[in-house]
Amino acid sequence: MGKILLEVRNLHATVAGVEILKGFDLTVRAGEVHAIMGPNGSGKSTFSKLLAGHPAYTVTGGEVLYQGENLLALSAEERSRAGVFLAFQYPVEIPGVSNASFLRLAYNTVQKQRGGEELDPLEFDDLVREKLKLVEMEASFLERSVNEGFSGGEKKRNEILQMALLEPTLAVLDETDSGLDIDALRIVAGGVNKLLNPGNAVILVTHYQRLLNYITPQFVHVMEDGRIVKTGGKELALELEERGYDWVREEQAARQLA
Amino acid sequence: MSATLDSLINRPYTAGFVTPVESDSAPKGLSEDTIRLISAKKNEPEWLLEFRLKAHKHWLTLQEPQWASVHHPKIDFQDMVYYSAPKTKKKLASMDEVDPELLRTFEKLGVPMHERKTLANVAVDVIFDSVSVATTYKKKLAEVGVIFCSFSEAVQEHPELVKKYLGSVVPQGDNYYAALNSAVFTDGSFCYIPKNTRCPMELSTYFRINNQESGQFERTLIIAEEGSHVSYLEGCTAPRFDTNQLHAAVVELVALDNAEIKYSTVQNWYAGDENGVGGIYNFVTKRGMCRGVNSKISWTQVETGSAITWKYPSCVLLGDNSIGEFYSVALTNHRQQADTGTKMIHIGKNTKSRIVSKGISAGESSNSYRGLVRMTPTAHGARNHSQCDSLLIGSRCEANTFPYIEVRNPSARVEHEATTSKIGEDQMFYFSSRGIGSEEAVSMIINGFCKDVFMQLPMEFAVEATQLLGLKLEGSVG
């Protein structure tokens, strides 16, 4: 078994005073792929953003250890530099800022933190063109403003491009599959697969089983009302696809009665 | 708005100190006597005194303009000093004789007054309250026939030029503040570029208000003869006082056949505190006349200071094929108010104008673009393109765009584009989730937003301008 990268214990969190996470537990080891599924409003996106350090969420209890350290003590920038990555469900548009300069600044910031080499625009251009192939993007993407006027699929591919550049240790993909047609889904999943290695881990937050046809998770978790209520292997996703979430709820209720 | 974003846009004003110099000031208040006193102090010819008195007479008949989207208590024009000069014993023969206290002041502000230490290739005229204290590189410029000196000096040394062009672009009675300026202006810069001469260096004037009770009324006149070219920059700062000071300048530019004037401003007057107490009222009339064929006047402004900015650097495109340009970045924070824009008056055939305005509002400020594009009946084939973009930081600020378009020639073409966007928490989080700190994030967003304008600034000042915006938004640009 790989070493433990992430340990979340009894996490409680609120947004605007409303409790969303209510005792969330999760352990992720190096080399693993986890899928978190669950109905709308179960807290999946909250968990993703909270992990990346979104300021709107307040942790009210529990702990999050990343490589043995208290992740919650770090700012969002520090988390990113330490190797935590969030692929956004809705990447924002940043007009006037070219994708190339944004990517290079992000890359150099993270490189600096890790003692790696910072690249000038020409060197970076060589690197990023290599990485573009991974997500089958044209070089013209680099000249456009960050996400501005990008199609849904282009935005998601741009997220995976950033993942490829920043080489995170722990990546959370928040509904990266939503809004993708089948070709884009294949490209995005292919990119993620190529980035997987025994030293890193990926958490896929998704509604649908179809992403898991392309990226195979070792663990599938079902989230309900702010916590994980069931964990299984890949076959659990298929079962959810077929039967919906109600049976998980019933099972949960039965367990509580017993 | 997130706490980080909040702290980013609240940074102290570094130019807010007062220089302890003895000054020679006129008593408060405005009357014909005040005007005669100013004129006498400056040993002016009779015609100039007449010019002033006529302007004053006209001013008395005018009302303060009410149409701008700004609010302030009524200004008491009798509670103001109209002339204030640092005391000097004699006329200065060289830079080395400038009061060391003044030299230190400008050094602190980063204004190069020592020629040997200066930024390469920039000549500076320095105006302190009502007078010019020094002009650098005069000799070197004189070698190619370029005249660059204080306005007072020009009145003495080149009265024929001043008389010919003063008021030719902004007449005495043009508007309330221009009339006031025409009556009481004290100093300013004068530039004359002779025929077929490319001015060999950047010309620059630095304006400093030091006296708490004095208004600054400077007058700048730039004349570019046929086939000449000049690039000019002005910078401005003032100490931090809890009262408001009035700055009512008039700038006139004249471009003859095939001449080009590029005029850039980096305005950083004291803006008042976060509650809107104190700060400069910057009520300025700037206008350029493209008098000759194929002439070109280009205004670039970076407006970051002042409690209230009311200014519309304009171009009158008289000569056929002449070109007018206006590139503006206006940043307002706290309770600042800006109502700024331009007027492009197309008269000649095939005249062209371009307007690029970028307004950034933060805090509880209000930032308005107001611009007029007028195509007169003679402006055959004239064209204009305007781009007005607003960027909001936070949710308590305001941005307005007031374009006025008058087309009286069917062959003229006018295009106007406008956008409004907002730096939100989600954009900031996107940057930070990629390891990029909030200062750099704001810097990138603002730089991207202002790119089209910064590109127009002379190299040295582009750096200064980005730094200034950075200062205002906490060292974030650059």
Side-chain angles (χ1 to χ4, degrees), chain B residues 18 96 115 122 165 185 261 292 296 393 423:
Chain B
V18 185
D96 300 330
E115 292 188 2
V122 181
Y165 290 106
F185 70 86
I261 302 175
K296 179 176 175 184
I393 303 177
I423 300 187

Side-chain angles (χ1 to χ4, degrees), chain B residues 6-37:
Chain B
D6 220 1
S7 74
L8 283 181
I9 52 176
N10 296 314
R11 217 171 120 129
Y13 183 68
T14 53
F17 60 91
V18 185
T19 307
V21 285
E22 262 191 86
S23 62
D24 172 17
S25 301
K28 274 186 185 178
L30 176 56
S31 65
E32 278 201 16
D33 289 344
T34 325
I35 294 165
R36 285 179 198 281
L37 175 81

Side-chain angles (χ1 to χ4, degrees), chain A residues 40-55:
Chain A
N40 286 330
S42 57
K44 304 187 300 291
S45 276
T46 296
F47 171 69
S48 313
K49 287 190 200 160
L50 188 151
L51 208 60
H54 195 288

Side-chain angles (χ1 to χ4, degrees), chain B residues 231-377:
Chain B
S231 171
Y232 176 92
L233 181 119
E234 62 165 36
C236 340
T237 58
R240 173 194 297 273
F241 290 127
D242 55 8
T243 52
N244 298 105
Q245 287 87 47
L246 176 64
H247 172 252
V250 171
V251 175
E252 296 178 278
L253 312 182
V254 180
L256 300 177
D257 288 357
N258 303 301
E260 182 176 345
I261 302 175
K262 187 174 168 58
Y263 191 105
S264 317
T265 304
V266 175
Q267 187 263 109
N268 186 27
W269 295 119
Y270 178 53
D273 68 10
E274 62 276 18
N275 299 313
V277 176
I280 303 289
Y281 291 166
N282 190 34
F283 299 161
V284 169
T285 305
K286 291 183 167 176
R287 194 174 304 152
M289 176 86 81
C290 281
R291 201 186 271 198
V293 295
N294 304 316
S295 57
K296 179 176 175 184
I297 290 180
S298 180
W299 297 99
T300 304
Q301 60 173 21
V302 177
E303 301 284 320
T304 66
S306 299
I308 304 177
T309 295
W310 178 98
K311 86 181 246 208
Y312 314 89
S314 305
C315 297
V316 180
L317 303 171
L318 191 60
D320 291 347
N321 308 313
S322 61
I323 298 173
E325 293 176 333
F326 175 74
Y327 299 97
S328 169
V329 167
L331 170 79
T332 54
N333 192 7
H334 301 309
R335 306 288 179 94
Q336 274 178 280
Q337 308 173 55
D339 192 302
T340 184
T342 185
K343 289 191 274 186
M344 293 293 173
I345 313 294
H346 292 254
I347 299 168
K349 291 191 193 73
N350 301 315
T351 47
K352 282 199 274 263
S353 65
R354 179 162 189 229
I355 298 170
V356 178
S357 164
K358 305 280 179 174
I360 304 165
S361 344
E364 291 167 62
S365 67
S366 151
N367 199 329
S368 303
Y369 167 81
R370 187 183 302 276
L372 167 69
V373 176
R374 175 182 291 157
M375 300 295 183
T376 63

Side-chain angles (χ1 to χ4, degrees), chain B residues 64-66 70-75 177 244 281 283 308 337:
Chain B
E64 283 176 70
Q66 299 295 330
V70 298
H71 307 279
H72 59 83
K74 206 167 162 52
I75 298 169
Y177 296 108
N244 298 105
Y281 291 166
F283 299 161
I308 304 177
Q337 308 173 55

Side-chain angles (χ1 to χ4, degrees), chain A residues 157-174:
Chain A
R157 279 194 270 172
N158 202 26
E159 293 294 293
I160 303 307
L161 174 65
Q162 294 176 48
M163 178 175 164
L165 284 167
L166 302 184
E167 299 182 330
T169 307
L170 176 68
V172 183
L173 277 50
D174 188 7

